[in-house]
Amino acid sequence: AQSVAQPEDQVNVAEGNPLTVKCTYSVSGNPYLFWYVQYPNRGLQFLLKYITGDNLVKGSYGFEAEFNKSQTSFHLKKPSALVSDSALYFCAVRDWGNSGYSTLTFGKGTMLLVSP
Amino acid sequence: NAGVTQTPKFQVLKTGQSMTLQCAQDMNHEYMSWYRQDPGMGLRLIHYSVGAGITDQGEVPNGYNVSRSTTEDFPLRLLSAAPSQTSVYFCASSTESRGGYGYTFGSGTRLTVV
Protein backbone atom coordinates (compact mmCIF):
# COMPACT_ATOMS: atom_id res chain seq x y z
CA ALA A 1 0.00 0.00 0.00
CA GLN A 2 1.05 3.55 -0.63
CA SER A 3 1.65 5.82 2.34
CA VAL A 4 2.63 9.31 3.35
CA ALA A 5 4.24 10.51 6.54
CA GLN A 6 4.02 13.92 8.15
CA PRO A 7 6.85 14.01 10.68
CA GLU A 8 5.67 17.10 12.56
CA ASP A 9 2.52 17.18 14.67
CA GLN A 10 2.72 20.97 14.85
CA VAL A 11 4.55 23.78 13.09
CA ASN A 12 4.80 27.24 14.60
CA VAL A 13 5.70 30.26 12.52
CA ALA A 14 5.41 34.02 12.89
CA GLU A 15 3.22 35.96 10.51
CA GLY A 16 5.19 37.19 7.52
CA ASN A 17 7.78 34.44 7.76
CA PRO A 18 8.01 31.59 5.24
CA LEU A 19 6.43 28.32 6.23
CA THR A 20 7.10 24.69 5.37
CA VAL A 21 4.96 21.69 6.24
CA LYS A 22 6.76 18.44 5.56
CA CYS A 23 5.53 15.29 3.85
CA THR A 24 7.39 12.21 2.69
CA TYR A 25 5.92 9.41 0.66
CA SER A 26 6.36 5.72 0.03
CA VAL A 27 4.88 4.41 -3.20
CA SER A 28 5.38 1.84 -5.89
CA GLY A 29 5.32 3.49 -9.27
CA ASN A 30 4.72 7.16 -9.94
CA PRO A 31 3.16 9.04 -7.05
CA TYR A 32 0.05 11.17 -7.24
CA LEU A 33 0.33 13.52 -4.27
CA PHE A 34 -2.07 16.01 -2.72
CA TRP A 35 -2.35 18.60 0.01
CA TYR A 36 -5.58 19.40 1.83
CA VAL A 37 -6.36 21.92 4.55
CA GLN A 38 -8.93 21.67 7.34
CA TYR A 39 -10.13 24.74 9.19
CA PRO A 40 -11.79 24.25 12.61
CA ASN A 41 -15.10 22.42 12.47
CA ARG A 42 -14.96 22.20 8.68
CA GLY A 43 -14.38 19.55 6.08
CA LEU A 44 -11.14 19.26 4.17
CA GLN A 45 -10.42 21.57 1.28
CA PHE A 46 -8.22 20.70 -1.68
CA LEU A 47 -5.08 22.86 -1.96
CA LEU A 48 -2.98 21.37 -4.73
CA LYS A 49 -1.83 18.19 -6.42
CA TYR A 50 1.17 16.71 -8.16
CA ILE A 51 0.50 14.26 -10.95
CA THR A 52 3.36 14.80 -13.36
CA GLY A 53 5.36 17.64 -14.85
CA ASP A 54 6.99 20.52 -13.00
CA ASN A 55 8.32 19.72 -9.58
CA LEU A 56 6.98 23.00 -8.18
CA VAL A 57 3.21 22.94 -7.97
CA LYS A 58 1.17 26.05 -7.24
CA GLY A 59 -2.15 25.86 -5.47
CA SER A 60 -4.80 27.83 -3.66
CA TYR A 61 -4.28 30.68 -1.16
CA GLY A 62 -0.65 31.26 -2.24
CA PHE A 63 0.53 27.79 -1.28
CA GLU A 64 2.94 25.74 -3.34
CA ALA A 65 4.57 22.36 -2.96
CA GLU A 66 7.87 20.99 -4.14
CA PHE A 67 8.07 17.43 -5.39
CA ASN A 68 11.48 15.85 -4.81
CA LYS A 69 11.83 12.36 -6.18
CA SER A 70 15.28 11.65 -4.79
CA GLN A 71 14.18 12.57 -1.27
CA THR A 72 10.65 11.16 -1.73
CA SER A 73 9.24 14.37 -0.34
CA PHE A 74 6.38 16.70 -1.15
CA HIS A 75 6.71 19.64 1.23
CA LEU A 76 4.09 22.37 1.36
CA LYS A 77 5.40 25.93 1.35
CA LYS A 78 4.30 29.52 1.45
CA PRO A 79 6.62 32.52 1.19
CA SER A 80 4.81 34.67 3.78
CA ALA A 81 2.50 33.14 6.39
CA LEU A 82 -0.78 34.71 7.47
CA VAL A 83 -2.55 34.22 10.79
CA SER A 84 -5.51 32.95 8.76
CA ASP A 85 -3.33 30.08 7.47
CA SER A 86 -3.56 28.49 10.92
CA ALA A 87 -5.24 25.14 10.30
CA LEU A 88 -4.67 21.40 10.07
CA TYR A 89 -2.86 20.30 6.92
CA PHE A 90 -2.99 16.85 5.41
CA CYS A 91 -0.74 15.28 2.83
CA ALA A 92 -2.31 12.47 0.78
CA VAL A 93 -1.34 9.95 -1.87
CA ARG A 94 -3.30 8.00 -4.43
CA ASP A 95 -3.64 4.41 -3.34
CA TRP A 96 -5.42 1.36 -4.70
CA GLY A 97 -8.35 -0.49 -3.20
CA ASN A 98 -8.93 -4.22 -3.25
CA SER A 99 -11.01 -4.02 -6.41
CA GLY A 100 -8.41 -2.04 -8.33
CA TYR A 101 -10.07 1.33 -7.96
CA SER A 102 -8.07 4.25 -6.67
CA THR A 103 -8.49 5.66 -3.21
CA LEU A 104 -6.80 8.44 -1.26
CA THR A 105 -4.59 7.68 1.74
CA PHE A 106 -3.94 10.54 4.15
CA GLY A 107 -1.15 11.36 6.52
CA LYS A 108 -1.88 12.04 10.19
CA GLY A 109 -1.95 15.78 9.69
CA THR A 110 0.18 18.73 10.82
CA MET A 111 -1.25 21.62 12.79
CA LEU A 112 0.07 24.94 11.56
CA LEU A 113 -0.05 27.81 14.03
CA VAL A 114 0.81 31.27 12.76
CA SER A 115 1.36 33.85 15.48
CA PRO A 116 0.73 37.59 14.94
CA ASN B 1 -24.60 24.68 -5.47
CA ALA B 2 -24.65 22.62 -2.28
CA GLY B 3 -21.64 20.35 -3.00
CA VAL B 4 -21.51 17.49 -0.50
CA THR B 5 -24.17 17.55 2.22
CA GLN B 6 -23.91 15.44 5.35
CA THR B 7 -26.62 14.93 7.93
CA PRO B 8 -26.83 15.02 10.85
CA LYS B 9 -24.01 17.29 11.99
CA PHE B 10 -24.02 15.88 15.51
CA GLN B 11 -25.33 12.61 16.95
CA VAL B 12 -25.16 10.82 20.27
CA LEU B 13 -25.90 7.10 20.27
CA LYS B 14 -26.10 4.50 22.94
CA THR B 15 -24.00 1.36 22.59
CA GLY B 16 -25.82 -1.16 20.43
CA GLN B 17 -28.02 1.33 18.62
CA SER B 18 -27.97 1.54 14.86
CA MET B 19 -28.14 4.61 12.67
CA THR B 20 -27.49 5.90 9.18
CA LEU B 21 -25.28 8.84 8.33
CA GLN B 22 -26.52 10.52 5.20
CA CYS B 23 -24.36 11.90 2.39
CA ALA B 24 -25.63 13.53 -0.78
CA GLN B 25 -23.83 15.32 -3.59
CA ASP B 26 -25.28 17.36 -6.43
CA MET B 27 -22.21 17.46 -8.69
CA ASN B 28 -22.90 14.19 -10.56
CA HIS B 29 -19.65 12.77 -9.20
CA GLU B 30 -19.13 9.08 -9.86
CA TYR B 31 -16.85 8.53 -6.89
CA MET B 32 -17.91 8.82 -3.23
CA SER B 33 -16.21 7.74 -0.05
CA TRP B 34 -16.49 7.75 3.73
CA TYR B 35 -13.64 8.55 6.09
CA ARG B 36 -13.38 8.75 9.83
CA GLN B 37 -11.11 11.24 11.54
CA ASP B 38 -9.60 10.48 14.92
CA PRO B 39 -7.02 12.57 16.82
CA GLY B 40 -3.47 11.67 15.84
CA MET B 41 -4.63 9.19 13.19
CA GLY B 42 -5.57 11.40 10.30
CA LEU B 43 -8.36 10.24 8.03
CA ARG B 44 -8.97 6.56 7.49
CA LEU B 45 -11.04 5.19 4.64
CA ILE B 46 -14.11 3.18 5.65
CA HIS B 47 -15.89 2.41 2.37
CA TYR B 48 -16.00 3.88 -1.08
CA SER B 49 -18.02 3.64 -4.26
CA VAL B 50 -17.09 4.24 -7.89
CA GLY B 51 -20.67 4.36 -9.13
CA ALA B 52 -24.22 3.23 -8.46
CA GLY B 53 -24.23 -0.40 -7.39
CA ILE B 54 -20.44 -0.57 -6.89
CA THR B 55 -18.89 -0.37 -3.43
CA ASP B 56 -15.67 -1.56 -1.85
CA GLN B 57 -14.10 -1.71 1.58
CA GLY B 58 -11.44 0.64 2.78
CA GLU B 59 -8.98 0.40 5.64
CA VAL B 60 -11.48 0.24 8.52
CA PRO B 61 -14.77 -1.24 7.25
CA ASN B 62 -15.78 -3.38 10.24
CA GLY B 63 -19.02 -2.30 11.88
CA TYR B 64 -20.12 -0.22 8.90
CA ASN B 65 -22.27 -0.94 5.89
CA VAL B 66 -22.85 1.03 2.70
CA SER B 67 -24.89 0.87 -0.46
CA ARG B 68 -25.07 3.08 -3.55
CA SER B 69 -28.43 2.96 -5.25
CA THR B 70 -28.16 6.38 -6.88
CA THR B 71 -25.33 8.59 -8.07
CA GLU B 72 -26.28 11.29 -5.59
CA ASP B 73 -26.50 9.38 -2.31
CA PHE B 74 -24.05 7.27 -0.34
CA PRO B 75 -25.35 6.50 3.18
CA LEU B 76 -23.18 4.95 5.88
CA ARG B 77 -24.88 2.55 8.28
CA LEU B 78 -23.65 1.71 11.74
CA LEU B 79 -25.09 -1.69 12.50
CA SER B 80 -24.53 -1.81 16.28
CA ALA B 81 -22.75 1.24 17.59
CA ALA B 82 -19.71 0.83 19.83
CA PRO B 83 -17.73 3.44 21.78
CA SER B 84 -14.80 2.80 19.41
CA GLN B 85 -16.91 4.33 16.65
CA THR B 86 -16.91 7.69 18.37
CA SER B 87 -15.35 9.88 15.69
CA VAL B 88 -15.90 12.57 13.12
CA TYR B 89 -17.12 11.14 9.85
CA PHE B 90 -16.51 12.78 6.50
CA CYS B 91 -18.06 12.01 3.17
CA ALA B 92 -16.20 12.99 -0.01
CA SER B 93 -16.90 12.89 -3.72
CA SER B 94 -14.83 13.20 -6.87
CA THR B 95 -15.21 13.05 -10.61
CA GLU B 96 -12.16 10.82 -10.95
CA SER B 97 -12.59 7.24 -9.88
CA ARG B 98 -9.13 6.28 -11.05
CA GLY B 99 -7.12 9.33 -10.15
CA GLY B 100 -8.34 10.43 -6.76
CA TYR B 101 -8.20 14.01 -7.88
CA GLY B 102 -9.63 16.99 -6.08
CA TYR B 103 -12.01 15.44 -3.58
CA THR B 104 -14.88 17.60 -2.32
CA PHE B 105 -15.60 16.97 1.34
CA GLY B 106 -18.74 17.45 3.36
CA SER B 107 -18.62 19.35 6.64
CA GLY B 108 -18.68 16.20 8.73
CA THR B 109 -20.81 14.35 11.28
CA ARG B 110 -19.57 14.27 14.85
CA LEU B 111 -20.70 11.00 16.40
CA THR B 112 -20.46 10.10 20.06
CA VAL B 113 -21.28 6.59 21.25
CA VAL B 114 -21.90 6.26 24.99
Side-chain angles (χ1 to χ4, degrees):
Chain A
Q2 325 287 50
S3 65
V4 288
Q6 295 181 242
E8 302 155 316
D9 292 336
Q10 184 169 307
V11 170
N12 297 296
V13 64
E15 188 173 32
N17 284 356
L19 70 87
T20 299
V21 182
K22 296 180 180 178
C23 173
T24 59
Y25 65 88
S26 175
V27 303
S28 55
N30 295 321
Y32 285 20
L33 297 161
F34 307 82
W35 277 101
Y36 284 80
V37 60
Q38 184 181 32
Y39 298 102
N41 300 313
R42 302 285 297 276
L44 277 71
Q45 297 178 29
F46 172 75
L47 275 179
L48 52 81
K49 66 185 179 188
Y50 172 83
I51 305 298
T52 186
D54 291 340
N55 290 340
L56 187 63
V57 179
K58 294 187 182 300
S60 306
Y61 312 122
F63 284 93
E64 58 190 24
E66 185 173 9
F67 173 72
N68 188 316
K69 188 172 183 178
S70 62
Q71 297 185 6
T72 62
S73 66
F74 188 57
H75 301 333
L76 181 70
K77 299 182 179 183
K78 188 174 183 181
S80 178
L82 300 172
V83 172
S84 57
D85 291 331
S86 297
L88 186 58
Y89 290 81
F90 289 96
C91 183
V93 64
R94 184 187 66 172
D95 203 346
W96 299 100
N98 296 329
S99 302
Y101 295 104
S102 71
T103 63
L104 210 57
T105 294
F106 288 86
K108 297 187 186 309
T110 298
M111 179 64 72
L112 174 66
L113 294 178
V114 182
S115 55
Chain B
N1 188 12
V4 178
T5 302
Q6 291 185 238
T7 56
K9 293 189 183 302
F10 302 94
Q11 183 71 48
V12 179
L13 286 180
K14 294 182 178 179
T15 297
Q17 286 184 318
S18 62
M19 79 159 294
T20 299
L21 280 62
Q22 301 291 345
C23 176
Q25 52 93 6
D26 60 358
M27 299 170 284
N28 201 32
H29 284 174
E30 58 194 18
Y31 183 95
M32 297 184 74
S33 56
W34 277 102
Y35 288 85
R36 59 177 290 173
Q37 183 179 21
D38 302 292
M41 303 192 72
L43 278 78
R44 292 180 292 169
L45 182 64
I46 304 171
H47 286 284
Y48 67 100
S49 169
V50 299
I54 307 171
T55 63
D56 196 7
Q57 296 181 351
E59 180 185 356
V60 288
N62 293 338
Y64 307 94
N65 198 9
V66 293
S67 61
R68 183 96 178 270
S69 57
T70 67
T71 300
E72 294 78 19
D73 300 301
F74 190 44
L76 179 72
R77 299 181 186 85
L78 278 69
L79 309 174
S80 177
S84 61
Q85 294 178 303
T86 293
S87 187
V88 182
Y89 291 84
F90 288 99
C91 179
S93 73
S94 169
T95 56
E96 293 285 346
S97 63
R98 293 193 176 277
Y101 309 161
Y103 282 25
T104 300
F105 280 83
S107 58
T109 295
R110 187 175 295 273
L111 175 68
T112 301
V113 183
V114 298

